[in-house]
Amino acid sequence: MSQQGPVTAIELEVFRHLFAALAEEMGAALKRAAFSPNIKERRDYSCALFDSKGLAVSLGDHMPVHLGAMPMSVEAALDELGTLGPGDVACVNDPFRGGTHLPDITLISPVHWTNGELLGYVASRAHHSDVGGSTPGSMPLAREVFEEGLRIPPVLLYTGGRRNDDLWRTLLANVRTPVERAGDLDAQMAALNTGAKRLLEITQKRGVEQTVSAMDGLITYADRLVKAGLELIPDGRYQAEDIIEDDGFGSGPIKICVELFVQGATLTVNFGGTSSQVPGGVNAVAAITSSATRYVVRCVVSALLEEALPAGGGSMSTVKLILPEASVVNASPPAAVAAGNVETSQRITDVLLQALGTALPELIPAMSQGTMNNTTVGGRDPRTGKLFAYYETVGGGMGAGPSGGGLSGVHVHMSNSLNTPIEALEHAYPFRVTSYGIRRGSGGVGLHQGGDGLRRDLMILSPARVTLLCERRKLGPHGAHGGLEGTPGENVLIRDGVEQTLPAKTTFTVRSGDVVSIRSPGGGGWGPLPD
């Protein structure tokens, strides 16, 4: 073991990369071991390292919407369960206790040194393709969270290394695809084991005092960078608003308002004026709004300083959130929240960037597609006779920026996942992909062109239930500095060769041979076209 002592700046940078590699390796272990294409192929998961107090030290380069909220899940677990002992694993998905929506299940375990000293915690979060609820895929049009699936408060899945089999059986009895769920939960456990092993190896080589000191040092360093970056934003008040088009039950447009007050190194983010929570599931819980805010602050600060923050992002202690109670950015139970995580999170990001665009006009890009184009399909696979549940988000156009055009057909902002390969889809499910390509010309025109959306046509080879949760179907993503908006998205059912336009948010039954066509929005353009 190395000599003890304070961590120097050079050593801190070494630890920064060691901890980042730890989180990334956790993600790689999860991906390799996962059963579902949603995790194995789309990489809809996140992994992180926390210190002994539950503060984020290093977050893998995974899903921003997960990573900003995971600290709140860890905090909720420690508040309700107390300090976790050796071999304990906490499990939680409750959106009102640090979760995002019910399919995102988080596992948390402590890492202890040989003398019993608590070094920190490792956590893995993964989107499970079904956790029960009223429709396959657990992303239904629902009026209450109880319709969306199994809700898990912070509980111990493992105690002292022994699995709670009663809880395990209860979890698997409430889902449509228990074998796949068990495999994905075991893959999350593999990620925790990988993280714990790597942290112990780091501690063995560097020493307990230096390792723990480096955790504290990285959080403090990130906080200094956040303060330095915020000081580069001109003092003042900056406002923006945008809408969620509808909630699937007739509510809409649903307004999201933000006012930013910048004063030196402090940033107050006030969502006053935002619509009250609505019947449909576009309500976002506080963890989602906090996550989107952390993401935007991290992006802007890193761009202003031309230096990436440590992977934990710091405590963000100088960023204050003001969230109206029982609103679509701070929903109260029993609000339905499935789409708040995936759709409203994108719009919160949009309004924050729009407000900052007033202060930093030469830095902030045009709006990206602003939706995840959520698609869930479930039924009985005629090849096996077993139930299946498929979930996917579909990429679209990235907004153009001052330095160039936007990318096409990619996941943006709060989603950092991939498009599922055709081969994986057709192997795992009774599907045939009949069309898959770029929607040429759907990006907004400007000095720099917005990225184009995608078109993916999915022929479903058995009767099934389909749910779509999408946005930007009426108005395209805004351009910036004279750039034009991107083309809105479109949902289409093709039956016997006849196209029928579908609502943005809908649940319906398909026959064998029907085609569900998702046509995602293009990104906004940046800057006027030259004369």
Side-chain angles (χ1 to χ4, degrees):
M1 191 177 295
S2 65
Q3 183 178 358
Q4 303 296 313
V7 179
T8 67
I10 293 175
E11 289 171 328
L12 192 64
E13 187 67 10
V14 171
F15 273 106
R16 172 178 176 169
H17 290 282
L18 287 171
F19 293 148
L22 178 153
E24 289 296 326
E25 189 175 353
M26 288 178 67
L30 203 168
K31 179 176 76 73
R32 285 196 304 270
F35 275 38
S36 66
N38 187 56
I39 298 173
K40 182 178 290 291
E41 301 290 350
R42 289 191 58 248
R43 306 185 188 182
D44 196 345
Y45 60 78
S46 297
C47 298
L49 170 68
F50 298 82
D51 72 3
S52 60
K53 300 181 288 293
L55 299 176
V57 174
S58 189
L59 309 171
D61 188 16
H62 300 140
M63 298 284 285
V65 74
H66 290 174
L67 295 170
M70 283 177 76
M72 299 179 75
S73 291
V74 173
E75 180 183 3
L78 298 183
D79 284 347
E80 295 205 23
L81 302 174
T83 302
L84 301 183
D88 290 349
V89 177
C91 176
V92 60
N93 78 343
D94 189 343
F96 305 103
R97 291 180 175 90
T100 46
H101 60 179
L102 298 181
D104 288 340
I105 298 177
T106 302
L107 300 186
I108 306 155
S109 65
V111 183
H112 292 85
W113 186 235
T114 52
N115 63 359
E117 180 179 351
L118 176 62
L119 298 175
Y121 295 90
V122 288
S124 64
R125 171 174 286 181
H127 183 117
H128 289 255
S129 296
D130 189 88
V131 290
S134 61
T135 61
S138 308
M139 297 284 285
L141 265 69
R143 295 178 183 270
E144 292 184 319
V145 70
F146 308 115
E147 302 172 62
E148 295 180 331
L150 185 66
R151 183 172 158 203
I152 309 167
V155 292
L156 286 177
L157 183 60
Y158 284 77
T159 304
R162 184 167 184 170
R163 190 175 72 191
N164 182 340
D165 285 333
D166 289 340
L167 174 60
W168 183 259
R169 289 196 300 271
T170 300
L171 293 177
L172 299 186
N174 282 278
V175 302
R176 295 171 177 85
T177 50
V179 173
E180 188 175 89
R181 298 288 65 74
D184 285 347
L185 285 169
D186 283 342
Q188 288 187 252
M189 288 295 300
L192 298 184
N193 292 336
T194 297
K197 180 180 179 181
R198 291 295 174 258
L199 183 57
L200 291 172
E201 288 176 353
I202 292 168
T203 306
Q204 175 68 36
K205 184 173 182 179
R206 305 283 173 175
V208 173
E209 182 181 334
Q210 281 201 318
T211 302
V212 172
S213 178
M215 291 184 186
D216 293 337
L218 284 171
I219 295 170
T220 301
Y221 177 49
D223 285 343
R224 289 205 309 269
L225 289 179
V226 169
K227 290 178 182 177
L230 292 177
E231 287 176 344
L232 297 177
I233 303 174
D235 286 354
R237 294 183 183 273
Y238 309 101
Q239 297 175 315
E241 66 176 61
D242 206 336
I243 61 165
I244 295 291
E245 293 171 343
D246 69 273
D247 70 340
F249 292 103
S251 300
I254 303 159
K255 190 164 60 173
I256 297 179
C257 305
V258 70
E259 180 183 65
L260 307 181
F261 177 48
V262 182
Q263 187 173 31
T266 63
L267 170 64
T268 302
V269 183
N270 186 350
F271 284 91
T274 293
S275 294
S276 299
Q277 63 190 50
V278 294
V282 298
N283 306 294
V285 293
I288 292 296
T289 308
S290 173
S291 190
T293 303
R294 286 179 65 97
Y295 164 77
V296 170
V297 170
R298 183 171 177 172
C299 288
V300 170
V301 165
S302 296
L304 287 170
L305 296 176
E306 298 183 349
E307 178 180 355
L309 268 66
S315 67
M316 299 276 176
S317 59
T318 61
V319 179
K320 180 183 180 182
L321 274 178
I322 301 175
L323 304 178
E325 294 292 332
S327 68
V328 292
V329 295
N330 185 21
S332 299
V337 298
N341 174 62
V342 287
E343 297 302 289
T344 307
S345 67
Q346 296 282 52
R347 197 65 69 254
I348 294 168
T349 302
D350 286 346
V351 296
L352 289 169
L353 288 171
Q354 281 182 286
L356 284 165
T358 308
L360 303 165
E362 298 303 318
L363 180 68
I364 304 301
M367 297 297 98
S368 294
Q369 68 162 339
T371 177
M372 297 191 197
N373 307 292
N374 303 272
T375 307
T376 56
V377 184
R380 192 171 296 278
D381 191 333
R383 300 171 301 178
T384 63
K386 296 181 180 180
L387 295 177
F388 73 91
Y390 152 81
Y391 169 75
E392 181 169 24
T393 61
V394 179
M398 176 187 288
S403 60
L407 299 177
S408 298
V410 295
H411 293 260
V412 294
H413 293 319
M414 301 310 287
S415 171
N416 190 34
S417 55
L418 302 177
N419 301 312
T420 309
I422 292 173
E423 297 84 354
L425 275 178
E426 295 184 344
H427 172 76
Y429 304 108
F431 298 160
R432 181 176 301 136
V433 178
T434 58
S435 178
Y436 182 31
I438 301 294
R439 293 180 73 199
R440 300 294 179 189
S442 57
V445 175
L447 176 65
H448 297 142
Q449 182 92 9
D452 291 328
L454 284 176
R455 173 173 172 169
R456 169 171 270 183
D457 289 7
L458 202 62
M459 179 181 286
I460 302 169
L461 303 177
S462 67
R465 291 286 285 169
V466 178
T467 298
L468 304 177
L469 296 175
C470 309
E471 272 289 311
R472 298 290 194 208
R473 272 18 187 197
K474 298 175 183 176
L475 300 173
H478 309 310
H481 290 275
L484 301 185
E485 69 178 28
T487 302
E490 189 177 8
N491 302 333
V492 176
L493 174 65
I494 306 173
R495 175 172 290 170
D496 299 326
V498 178
E499 293 196 359
Q500 174 189 345
T501 300
L502 297 168
K505 300 171 183 68
T506 183
T507 296
F508 56 100
T509 300
V510 295
R511 308 170 188 167
S512 178
D514 284 352
V515 175
V516 177
S517 178
I518 304 300
R519 303 166 188 184
S520 62
W526 194 96
L529 284 171
D531 294 333

